[in-house]
Amino acid sequence: MNYFEIAKEVSKNACTSSKFSVGACLVTKDGKIYTGCNIENGGIQSICAERCAFVKALSEGERNFESIYVVGKLDSEKLFLETLPCGYCRQFMRSYVDLNFKIYTLDEAKNEINEYTLEELLPHSFNF
């Protein structure tokens, strides 16, 4: 199963004022998939694709996550560029995953798939 293709497909549902669409495919340890896209609004509480996917999974009772695949691109472009979770998403994820949680990004312009751990992207994180 190509998780990036799933993330690309869900990015088509993004509601953006920024004209930058993001899709995320969250995979649980038992192989279930939850998707999300960015949903922007005129207020300050827009939601990123990563948090959208997590909220869907968490609201269904999921608590064991393996990885997330993230894609993003300008609506006017064809290629997806490396898109990393924002700081808010990183800290949000920290509440529900361990530091070895994998984050995969796709950069079609460079023909690269990049793999990060949450610890790499959020060193010295807050956790309780």
Side-chain angles (χ1 to χ4, degrees):
M1 180 169 301
N2 189 326
Y3 299 125
F4 283 121
E5 291 302 318
I6 294 169
K8 284 181 187 181
E9 190 62 31
V10 76
S11 76
K12 295 175 184 176
N13 297 331
C15 302
T16 71
S17 53
S18 66
K19 307 293 187 216
F20 193 84
S21 296
V22 180
C25 179
L26 176 62
V27 182
T28 66
K29 289 185 179 177
D30 63 357
K32 289 183 188 170
I33 295 171
Y34 293 88
T35 60
C37 62
N38 54 322
I39 303 169
E40 299 171 356
N41 60 57
I44 61 170
Q45 294 297 324
S46 296
I47 186 166
C48 299
E50 300 89 335
R51 281 182 287 127
C52 182
F54 265 94
V55 167
K56 288 166 69 175
L58 292 165
S59 70
E60 296 294 324
E62 295 292 343
R63 297 295 185 270
N64 296 306
F65 304 105
E66 182 176 296
S67 57
I68 194 165
Y69 295 74
V70 183
V71 300
K73 72 176 188 68
L74 286 168
D75 294 345
S76 61
E77 299 293 324
K78 292 185 188 281
L79 298 178
F80 287 86
L81 304 174
E82 181 172 42
T83 303
L84 294 165
C86 72
Y88 184 48
C89 285
R90 295 173 196 193
Q91 186 59 55
F92 182 93
M93 286 188 272
R94 180 65 182 108
S95 298
Y96 302 101
V97 301
D98 62 36
L99 291 172
N100 292 320
F101 178 76
K102 300 290 188 195
I103 300 162
Y104 295 95
T105 64
L106 175 67
D107 190 329
E108 291 181 326
K110 295 180 180 177
N111 197 30
E112 291 179 349
I113 293 174
N114 298 297
E115 176 187 301
Y116 302 94
T117 63
L118 182 58
E119 185 171 34
E120 289 175 297
L121 297 182
L122 189 66
H124 312 291
S125 65
F126 173 78
N127 194 33
F128 48 90

